[in-house]
Amino acid sequence: MSGHSKWANIQHKKSAADAKRGKIFTKILREIVISVRLGGSDPNGNPRLRSAIIKAKESNMPKDTLERAIKKGAGEIEGVTYEEFTYEGYGPDGVAILMDIMTDNKNRTAGEVRSLMTKLGGNLGAPGSVSFMFSKKGIIVFDVKDLNEDKAMEIGIDAGAEDIISEGETIEVITTPDNFENVLKAFDDLSIPHMQAEVTMIPSSYQDVALDKIEKVISLIERLEDIDDVQAVYHNLNIPEGYRG
């Protein structure tokens, strides 16, 4: 199987975020709190909470921090009430940008996001203006030193994966959100290490931007990610293989 490689695009935005563990923890903790409030504190019956716990463990979050967030969501500890929604719009050169927002002050967040988009050459759009370009998918990324394409297909397809993409030094296993955990478990049960695993929004196509303008788009994406109330930023910028900025 094959398709457009998504790893270069996802990996670039993650590399910047991973250097800011405090912000990563804050975003994961908010996700845990709201997922518990919406679906309960038992991960066996709450897929959204299970996915958040996977992210917490991947980020080496301390167990007591994780458990405290679950208690906050369950109302056992007093905590802030968050509202969640999405913003969408365009960055420089027509790059589509979709943002997951979780905030306790919608007016503050709207002003902060709108100001940054305008300042760095983007603009917010109406609901639905870019979201139709994205689909929610699970993605599990492996190093080719740990897994070859044939083995990935054998394990992944049997477990319910949708697609296997082999490009360069990585193997990408694509799943539906519902099958993500089953497919991840199939590889974990065989002790095959992964580089990244998450449910994310993947664009149906990618936008090419002139090399001398890519840094401007990436700067906007990274600045948006720095906003505490922005849980995640998805985009369709095609980052060329090997691009380092």
Side-chain angles (χ1 to χ4, degrees), residues 16-51:
D18 284 346
K20 305 167 185 175
R21 178 166 295 186
K23 284 187 176 292
I24 293 175
F25 278 11
T26 297
K27 294 175 191 290
I28 294 174
L29 290 171
R30 288 186 183 187
E31 173 66 14
I32 290 170
V33 168
I34 201 164
S35 64
V36 170
R37 286 180 179 164
L38 293 174
S41 59
D42 181 4
N44 292 321
N46 187 341
R48 182 172 175 178
L49 175 58
R50 290 200 302 272
S51 294

Side-chain angles (χ1 to χ4, degrees), residues 102-160:
M102 195 174 295
T103 181
D104 60 347
N105 187 325
K106 189 173 184 178
N107 290 334
R108 178 196 67 219
T109 306
E112 195 171 359
V113 171
R114 184 177 290 107
S115 174
L116 186 59
M117 289 281 281
T118 301
K119 179 180 178 181
L120 297 183
N123 62 278
L124 285 177
S129 57
V130 304
S131 57
F132 71 93
M133 302 180 191
F134 295 81
S135 299
K136 183 173 283 190
K137 298 290 182 181
I139 179 168
I140 310 166
V141 183
F142 300 90
D143 192 304
V144 293
K145 294 192 293 291
D146 300 313
L147 181 70
N148 61 47
E149 184 177 7
D150 289 341
K151 192 67 175 177
M153 290 185 65
E154 176 188 336
I155 299 167
I157 300 305
D158 282 350

Side-chain angles (χ1 to χ4, degrees), residues 10 13 34 52 80 94-95 120-121 163 165 176-177 215 218 223 243:
I10 293 174
K13 79 181 183 70
I34 201 164
V80 178
V95 172
L120 297 183
D163 199 4
I165 300 172
T176 63
E215 195 59 38
I218 290 176
R223 290 282 297 278
Y243 177 80

